[in-house]
Amino acid sequence: MNAVDIQGVSQRYGSMTALRQLNLHLEPGEVLGLFGHNGAGKTTTMKLILGLLNPSEGRVQVLGRAPNDPDVRRQLGYLPENVMFYPQLSGRETLHHFARIKSAALQQADELLEQVGLAHAADRRVKTYSKGMRQRLGLAQALLGDPQLLLLDEPTVGLDPIATQDLYILIDRLRQQGTSVILCSHVLPGVEAHINRAAILAGGQLEAIGTLASLRTEAGLPSRIRASGLRQREQLLQNWSDDGYDTQLLGSDGIEVVGTSAGKIALLRQLLAEDQPGDIEIFQPSLEDLYRYYTERAGNAHAAEDKA
Ligand SMILES: Nc1ncnc2c1ncn2[C@@H]1O[C@H](COP(=O)(O)OP(=O)(O)OP(=O)(O)O)[C@@H](O)[C@H]1O
Protein backbone atom coordinates (compact mmCIF):
# COMPACT_ATOMS: atom_id res chain seq x y z
CA MET A 1 0.00 0.00 0.00
CA ASN A 2 1.38 3.38 -0.96
CA ALA A 3 1.72 6.02 1.74
CA VAL A 4 0.29 8.59 -0.66
CA ASP A 5 -1.57 8.21 -3.94
CA ILE A 6 -2.51 11.33 -5.87
CA GLN A 7 -4.28 10.66 -9.14
CA GLY A 8 -5.30 13.25 -11.68
CA VAL A 9 -5.61 15.99 -9.07
CA SER A 10 -6.36 19.59 -9.98
CA GLN A 11 -6.88 22.24 -7.35
CA ARG A 12 -8.58 25.54 -7.99
CA TYR A 13 -8.91 28.52 -5.69
CA GLY A 14 -11.81 30.42 -7.30
CA SER A 15 -10.74 31.05 -10.88
CA MET A 16 -7.05 30.37 -10.08
CA THR A 17 -5.69 26.88 -10.82
CA ALA A 18 -2.95 26.04 -8.33
CA LEU A 19 -2.43 22.40 -9.40
CA ARG A 20 -3.12 20.76 -12.75
CA GLN A 21 -3.56 17.03 -13.26
CA LEU A 22 -1.08 15.99 -10.61
CA ASN A 23 -0.12 12.31 -10.39
CA LEU A 24 2.19 11.40 -7.54
CA HIS A 25 2.75 8.45 -5.25
CA LEU A 26 4.94 7.83 -2.24
CA GLU A 27 6.02 4.37 -1.13
CA PRO A 28 6.43 3.24 2.48
CA GLY A 29 9.84 4.25 3.79
CA GLU A 30 10.45 6.60 0.89
CA VAL A 31 11.70 10.18 1.22
CA LEU A 32 10.45 12.45 -1.53
CA GLY A 33 11.85 15.95 -2.00
CA LEU A 34 9.17 18.27 -3.35
CA PHE A 35 10.68 21.32 -4.97
CA GLY A 36 9.37 24.27 -6.93
CA HIS A 37 9.37 28.06 -7.22
CA ASN A 38 7.24 30.26 -4.96
CA GLY A 39 3.61 29.57 -5.80
CA ALA A 40 4.40 26.32 -7.66
CA GLY A 41 1.84 24.39 -5.60
CA LYS A 42 3.91 22.61 -2.92
CA THR A 43 1.90 23.74 0.10
CA THR A 44 -1.33 23.07 -1.78
CA THR A 45 -0.11 19.49 -2.37
CA MET A 46 0.69 19.13 1.34
CA LYS A 47 -2.75 20.47 2.31
CA LEU A 48 -4.43 17.95 0.00
CA ILE A 49 -2.48 15.12 1.66
CA LEU A 50 -3.40 16.45 5.09
CA GLY A 51 -7.08 16.54 4.14
CA LEU A 52 -7.22 20.30 4.70
CA LEU A 53 -8.35 20.77 1.09
CA ASN A 54 -10.67 18.69 -1.07
CA PRO A 55 -9.37 18.35 -4.62
CA SER A 56 -11.41 20.16 -7.28
CA GLU A 57 -10.74 17.13 -9.50
CA GLY A 58 -9.09 13.73 -9.05
CA ARG A 59 -8.43 11.55 -6.03
CA VAL A 60 -6.08 11.66 -3.03
CA GLN A 61 -5.50 8.61 -0.83
CA VAL A 62 -3.26 8.52 2.21
CA LEU A 63 -2.24 5.17 3.75
CA GLY A 64 -4.97 3.59 1.63
CA ARG A 65 -7.81 5.82 2.86
CA ALA A 66 -9.31 9.28 2.53
CA PRO A 67 -6.93 11.89 3.97
CA ASN A 68 -9.53 13.23 6.43
CA ASP A 69 -10.14 9.78 7.97
CA PRO A 70 -9.41 10.21 11.73
CA ASP A 71 -7.27 7.03 11.77
CA VAL A 72 -5.15 8.42 8.96
CA ARG A 73 -4.77 11.79 10.70
CA ARG A 74 -3.30 10.10 13.76
CA GLN A 75 -0.62 8.57 11.55
CA LEU A 76 0.42 11.90 10.03
CA GLY A 77 3.03 14.31 11.28
CA TYR A 78 3.16 17.82 9.84
CA LEU A 79 5.68 20.58 10.26
CA PRO A 80 4.11 23.67 8.68
CA GLU A 81 6.15 26.36 6.94
CA ASN A 82 5.34 28.96 9.62
CA VAL A 83 5.17 27.09 12.84
CA MET A 84 3.04 28.80 15.54
CA PHE A 85 2.75 28.01 19.24
CA TYR A 86 1.16 29.48 22.37
CA PRO A 87 3.93 31.80 23.59
CA GLN A 88 3.06 31.38 27.28
CA LEU A 89 3.46 27.59 27.29
CA SER A 90 6.80 25.91 27.90
CA GLY A 91 8.28 23.55 25.33
CA ARG A 92 7.16 20.54 27.37
CA GLU A 93 3.64 21.94 27.89
CA THR A 94 3.42 22.63 24.16
CA LEU A 95 4.23 19.01 23.33
CA HIS A 96 1.82 17.74 26.00
CA HIS A 97 -0.90 19.88 24.40
CA PHE A 98 -0.27 18.43 20.94
CA ALA A 99 0.15 14.90 22.35
CA ARG A 100 -3.37 15.11 23.83
CA ILE A 101 -4.79 16.29 20.48
CA LYS A 102 -3.04 13.40 18.70
CA SER A 103 -3.76 10.83 21.44
CA ALA A 104 0.00 10.26 21.72
CA ALA A 105 1.74 9.23 24.96
CA LEU A 106 2.70 12.24 27.10
CA GLN A 107 6.05 10.72 28.06
CA GLN A 108 7.08 10.99 24.41
CA ALA A 109 7.40 14.75 24.94
CA ASP A 110 10.63 14.47 26.94
CA GLU A 111 12.14 11.91 24.56
CA LEU A 112 11.43 14.16 21.60
CA LEU A 113 12.74 17.29 23.31
CA GLU A 114 15.95 15.35 23.91
CA GLN A 115 16.02 14.13 20.31
CA VAL A 116 15.73 17.64 18.84
CA GLY A 117 18.24 19.13 21.31
CA LEU A 118 15.75 21.09 23.45
CA ALA A 119 15.89 19.12 26.71
CA HIS A 120 17.72 22.01 28.39
CA ALA A 121 14.91 24.42 27.45
CA ALA A 122 11.94 22.12 28.18
CA ASP A 123 10.62 24.37 30.97
CA ARG A 124 11.23 27.70 29.29
CA ARG A 125 8.31 29.55 27.73
CA VAL A 126 8.19 29.27 23.98
CA LYS A 127 8.16 33.08 23.68
CA THR A 128 11.79 33.03 24.85
CA TYR A 129 12.83 30.51 22.16
CA SER A 130 14.96 31.55 19.20
CA LYS A 131 13.66 30.91 15.65
CA GLY A 132 15.73 27.74 15.35
CA MET A 133 14.49 26.50 18.73
CA ARG A 134 10.88 27.02 17.63
CA GLN A 135 11.63 25.11 14.45
CA ARG A 136 13.08 22.23 16.49
CA LEU A 137 9.97 22.27 18.69
CA GLY A 138 7.86 22.15 15.53
CA LEU A 139 9.76 19.09 14.42
CA ALA A 140 9.27 17.42 17.81
CA GLN A 141 5.54 18.18 17.53
CA ALA A 142 5.46 16.57 14.06
CA LEU A 143 7.13 13.42 15.42
CA LEU A 144 4.59 12.89 18.23
CA GLY A 145 2.79 9.57 17.91
CA ASP A 146 5.48 8.04 15.65
CA PRO A 147 3.76 9.02 12.38
CA GLN A 148 3.91 6.71 9.38
CA LEU A 149 3.88 9.72 7.09
CA LEU A 150 5.76 12.89 7.84
CA LEU A 151 5.22 16.12 5.91
CA LEU A 152 7.94 18.70 6.39
CA ASP A 153 7.46 22.15 4.87
CA GLU A 154 10.77 24.03 4.83
CA PRO A 155 12.14 22.10 7.85
CA THR A 156 15.62 23.62 7.74
CA VAL A 157 14.49 27.26 7.93
CA GLY A 158 16.12 28.85 10.96
CA LEU A 159 18.27 25.81 11.75
CA ASP A 160 22.01 26.25 12.16
CA PRO A 161 24.31 24.00 10.08
CA ILE A 162 24.68 21.34 12.79
CA ALA A 163 20.94 21.26 13.51
CA THR A 164 20.35 20.94 9.74
CA GLN A 165 22.72 17.95 9.58
CA ASP A 166 21.00 16.45 12.65
CA LEU A 167 17.65 16.84 10.90
CA TYR A 168 18.92 14.97 7.83
CA ILE A 169 20.34 12.20 10.04
CA LEU A 170 16.97 11.96 11.76
CA ILE A 171 15.22 11.70 8.37
CA ASP A 172 17.63 8.90 7.37
CA ARG A 173 16.80 7.05 10.58
CA LEU A 174 13.05 7.50 10.15
CA ARG A 175 13.30 6.19 6.61
CA GLN A 176 15.14 3.09 7.85
CA GLN A 177 12.30 2.55 10.32
CA GLY A 178 9.80 2.64 7.45
CA THR A 179 8.45 6.20 7.84
CA SER A 180 7.53 7.92 4.58
CA VAL A 181 8.57 11.55 4.32
CA ILE A 182 7.70 14.42 1.99
CA LEU A 183 10.11 17.26 2.37
CA CYS A 184 9.49 20.65 0.72
CA SER A 185 12.46 22.94 0.59
CA HIS A 186 14.01 25.84 -1.24
CA VAL A 187 17.37 24.91 0.28
CA LEU A 188 18.70 22.37 -2.19
CA PRO A 189 22.39 21.90 -1.29
CA GLY A 190 22.77 19.16 1.29
CA VAL A 191 19.35 17.59 0.80
CA GLU A 192 20.17 15.41 -2.19
CA ALA A 193 21.87 12.62 -0.23
CA HIS A 194 18.79 12.21 1.96
CA ILE A 195 15.98 11.83 -0.56
CA ASN A 196 15.01 8.77 -2.64
CA ARG A 197 13.31 10.82 -5.36
CA ALA A 198 12.84 14.44 -6.28
CA ALA A 199 9.64 15.95 -7.67
CA ILE A 200 9.84 19.35 -9.34
CA LEU A 201 6.65 21.39 -9.61
CA ALA A 202 6.40 24.41 -11.88
CA GLY A 203 3.28 26.50 -12.42
CA GLY A 204 1.11 23.86 -10.72
CA GLN A 205 2.34 21.02 -12.94
CA LEU A 206 4.69 18.16 -12.18
CA GLU A 207 7.61 18.95 -14.45
CA ALA A 208 9.86 16.04 -13.38
CA ILE A 209 9.96 13.19 -10.89
CA GLY A 210 12.53 10.48 -10.28
CA THR A 211 15.77 9.52 -8.61
CA LEU A 212 18.57 12.00 -9.10
CA ALA A 213 20.30 9.46 -11.35
CA SER A 214 17.24 9.16 -13.60
CA LEU A 215 16.70 12.93 -13.67
CA ARG A 216 20.37 13.43 -14.59
CA THR A 217 20.05 10.93 -17.42
CA GLU A 218 16.79 12.47 -18.64
CA ALA A 219 18.14 16.03 -18.49
CA GLY A 220 21.36 15.03 -20.27
CA LEU A 221 23.32 17.69 -18.41
CA PRO A 222 27.11 17.34 -18.58
CA SER A 223 29.18 15.48 -16.00
CA ARG A 224 32.88 16.33 -15.73
CA ILE A 225 35.57 13.85 -14.88
CA ARG A 226 38.96 15.13 -13.80
CA ALA A 227 41.90 12.81 -13.34
CA SER A 228 45.47 13.59 -12.29
CA GLY A 229 48.76 11.71 -11.91
CA LEU A 230 48.43 10.36 -15.47
CA ARG A 231 51.21 8.97 -17.70
CA GLN A 232 49.28 8.63 -20.96
CA ARG A 233 47.18 11.76 -20.90
CA GLU A 234 48.06 12.89 -24.45
CA GLN A 235 46.82 9.53 -25.71
CA LEU A 236 43.64 9.82 -23.68
CA LEU A 237 43.12 13.39 -24.92
CA GLN A 238 43.51 12.20 -28.50
CA ASN A 239 41.16 9.24 -28.09
CA TRP A 240 38.44 11.26 -26.37
CA SER A 241 38.74 14.12 -28.85
CA ASP A 242 38.46 11.63 -31.73
CA ASP A 243 35.30 10.24 -30.08
CA GLY A 244 33.84 13.76 -30.01
CA TYR A 245 34.24 14.50 -26.29
CA ASP A 246 35.06 17.93 -24.99
CA THR A 247 38.37 17.41 -23.22
CA GLN A 248 41.37 19.42 -22.03
CA LEU A 249 44.68 18.98 -20.25
CA LEU A 250 44.87 20.23 -16.66
CA GLY A 251 48.05 21.11 -14.74
CA SER A 252 51.16 19.02 -15.31
CA ASP A 253 49.62 15.55 -15.33
CA GLY A 254 45.83 15.98 -15.37
CA ILE A 255 42.96 15.85 -17.82
CA GLU A 256 39.28 16.79 -17.87
CA VAL A 257 36.62 15.18 -20.00
CA VAL A 258 32.99 16.22 -20.27
CA GLY A 259 30.38 13.52 -20.85
CA THR A 260 26.78 12.84 -19.97
CA SER A 261 25.77 11.28 -16.66
CA ALA A 262 24.76 8.12 -18.47
CA GLY A 263 28.12 7.93 -20.26
CA LYS A 264 30.42 8.62 -17.33
CA ILE A 265 30.91 5.00 -16.29
CA ALA A 266 32.21 4.13 -19.78
CA LEU A 267 34.63 7.07 -19.61
CA LEU A 268 35.83 5.99 -16.18
CA ARG A 269 36.37 2.41 -17.41
CA GLN A 270 38.40 3.71 -20.34
CA LEU A 271 40.41 5.98 -18.06
CA LEU A 272 41.27 3.11 -15.70
CA ALA A 273 42.00 0.72 -18.56
CA GLU A 274 44.38 3.08 -20.34
CA ASP A 275 46.16 4.72 -17.39
CA GLN A 276 46.69 4.63 -13.64
CA PRO A 277 45.36 7.92 -12.30
CA GLY A 278 46.57 9.08 -8.89
CA ASP A 279 43.24 10.83 -8.24
CA ILE A 280 39.81 11.09 -9.89
CA GLU A 281 37.10 13.68 -9.26
CA ILE A 282 33.60 13.51 -10.70
CA PHE A 283 31.43 16.60 -10.93
CA GLN A 284 27.83 15.59 -11.60
CA PRO A 285 24.88 17.92 -12.16
CA SER A 286 23.71 18.87 -8.67
CA LEU A 287 20.10 19.01 -7.53
CA GLU A 288 20.33 22.77 -8.06
CA ASP A 289 21.48 22.26 -11.66
CA LEU A 290 18.59 19.85 -12.26
CA TYR A 291 16.11 22.20 -10.59
CA ARG A 292 17.27 25.06 -12.81
CA TYR A 293 17.09 22.91 -15.92
CA TYR A 294 13.55 21.64 -15.30
CA THR A 295 12.21 24.98 -14.06
CA GLU A 296 13.60 26.77 -17.11
CA ARG A 297 12.23 24.05 -19.39
CA ALA A 298 8.78 24.55 -17.84
CA GLY A 299 9.09 28.32 -18.28
CA ASN A 300 10.04 27.91 -21.95
CA ALA A 301 7.13 25.53 -22.54
CA HIS A 302 4.67 27.97 -20.96
CA ALA A 303 6.10 30.85 -23.01
CA ALA A 304 5.66 28.78 -26.20
CA GLU A 305 2.06 27.92 -25.19
CA ASP A 306 1.32 31.60 -24.59
CA LYS A 307 2.64 32.49 -28.07
CA ALA A 308 0.65 29.74 -29.82
N1 LIG B 1 -6.22 30.17 -0.14
C1 LIG B 1 -5.82 30.55 -1.36
N2 LIG B 1 -6.59 31.34 -2.12
C2 LIG B 1 -6.22 31.73 -3.37
N3 LIG B 1 -5.05 31.37 -3.94
C3 LIG B 1 -4.22 30.59 -3.21
C4 LIG B 1 -4.56 30.15 -1.89
N4 LIG B 1 -3.54 29.38 -1.43
C5 LIG B 1 -2.60 29.35 -2.41
N5 LIG B 1 -3.03 30.08 -3.47
C6 LIG B 1 -2.30 30.25 -4.74
O1 LIG B 1 -2.02 28.95 -5.26
C7 LIG B 1 -0.72 28.92 -5.84
C8 LIG B 1 0.09 27.81 -5.18
O2 LIG B 1 0.32 28.19 -3.83
P1 LIG B 1 1.17 27.29 -2.82
O3 LIG B 1 1.08 27.93 -1.47
O4 LIG B 1 0.72 25.89 -2.95
O5 LIG B 1 2.64 27.43 -3.43
P2 LIG B 1 4.06 26.97 -2.84
O6 LIG B 1 4.72 26.18 -3.89
O7 LIG B 1 3.87 26.33 -1.51
O8 LIG B 1 4.78 28.37 -2.67
P3 LIG B 1 5.91 28.89 -1.62
O9 LIG B 1 7.20 28.27 -2.05
O10 LIG B 1 5.90 30.37 -1.84
O11 LIG B 1 5.48 28.49 -0.24
C9 LIG B 1 -0.14 30.31 -5.67
O12 LIG B 1 -0.35 31.04 -6.86
C10 LIG B 1 -0.95 30.91 -4.53
O13 LIG B 1 -1.06 32.32 -4.68
Side-chain angles (χ1 to χ4, degrees):
M1 178 181 60
N2 283 333
V4 175
D5 251 315
I6 297 180
Q7 287 175 15
V9 164
S10 296
Q11 183 64 41
R12 287 184 278 279
Y13 296 109
S15 60
M16 194 266 164
T17 302
L19 283 177
R20 267 172 227 276
Q21 288 299 313
L22 180 66
N23 293 303
L24 190 74
H25 78 275
L26 181 72
E27 289 172 17
E30 186 181 26
V31 180
L32 178 77
L34 185 58
F35 308 111
H37 57 78
N38 291 128
K42 304 179 295 296
T43 304
T44 300
T45 305
M46 292 260 197
K47 285 184 177 166
L48 285 161
I49 296 169
L50 288 161
L52 301 175
L53 285 173
N54 279 320
S56 315
E57 239 175 73
R59 194 180 75 143
V60 179
Q61 283 218 312
V62 179
L63 304 169
R65 300 185 190 195
N68 56 8
D69 183 308
D71 284 341
V72 168
R73 288 208 159 164
R74 270 193 284 276
Q75 318 248 26
L76 294 189
Y78 177 45
L79 173 67
E81 189 175 359
N82 298 306
V83 59
M84 306 275 265
F85 298 112
Y86 296 111
Q88 300 297 341
L89 296 186
S90 70
R92 182 182 286 115
E93 287 165 346
T94 301
L95 289 193
H96 284 172
H97 167 72
F98 284 105
R100 281 188 205 101
I101 293 175
K102 263 188 151 178
S103 311
L106 293 191
Q107 69 262 30
Q108 239 202 330
D110 283 348
E111 290 163 26
L112 287 170
L113 287 166
E114 178 77 42
Q115 198 169 351
V116 300
L118 281 180
H120 67 288
D123 294 316
R124 270 172 53 188
R125 290 183 181 194
V126 171
K127 70 176 181 187
T128 70
Y129 278 20
S130 70
K131 192 170 179 212
M133 289 168 82
R134 283 200 296 274
Q135 191 71 355
R136 288 164 192 240
L137 187 61
L139 186 62
Q141 167 278 126
L143 292 170
L144 278 166
D146 301 318
Q148 275 191 48
L149 173 62
L150 193 56
L151 303 176
L152 304 174
D153 203 350
E154 295 291 345
T156 57
V157 166
L159 295 186
D160 61 47
I162 291 177
T164 301
Q165 265 312 312
D166 287 348
L167 170 78
Y168 290 145
I169 292 167
L170 176 67
I171 290 175
D172 292 344
R173 201 168 63 228
L174 291 168
R175 171 182 32 198
Q176 280 160 19
Q177 290 165 3
T179 311
S180 309
V181 182
I182 297 185
L183 188 159
C184 280
S185 184
H186 291 296
V187 185
L188 306 184
V191 80
E192 46 195 283
H194 306 280
I195 55 175
N196 294 94
R197 288 187 300 154
I200 299 173
L201 281 172
Q205 283 177 295
L206 188 63
E207 186 60 26
I209 185 160
T211 61
L212 292 193
S214 70
L215 295 180
R216 284 188 183 113
T217 301
E218 184 193 321
L221 295 177
S223 285
R224 285 169 199 280
I225 298 173
R226 284 185 189 166
S228 58
L230 300 171
R231 294 191 199 132
Q232 315 284 344
R233 64 177 189 155
E234 276 77 16
Q235 191 56 50
L236 275 164
L237 182 91
Q238 190 61 52
N239 293 347
W240 280 333
S241 299
D242 291 348
D243 291 342
Y245 288 104
D246 194 1
T247 182
Q248 59 170 327
L249 299 178
L250 291 178
S252 58
D253 58 7
I255 196 166
E256 178 182 274
V257 59
V258 181
T260 61
S261 284
K264 71 176 177 292
I265 301 290
L267 288 170
L268 281 169
R269 280 212 185 93
Q270 193 179 353
L271 176 64
L272 292 169
E274 295 183 17
D275 210 322
Q276 292 179 323
D279 196 11
I280 298 178
E281 287 177 288
I282 303 170
F283 302 91
Q284 305 206 80
S286 64
L287 180 57
E288 275 171 295
D289 297 328
L290 292 166
Y291 176 79
R292 176 178 286 276
Y293 169 83
Y294 284 109
T295 307
E296 286 179 358
R297 187 177 82 172
N300 293 340
H302 293 155
E305 275 167 21
D306 290 347
K307 269 193 191 163

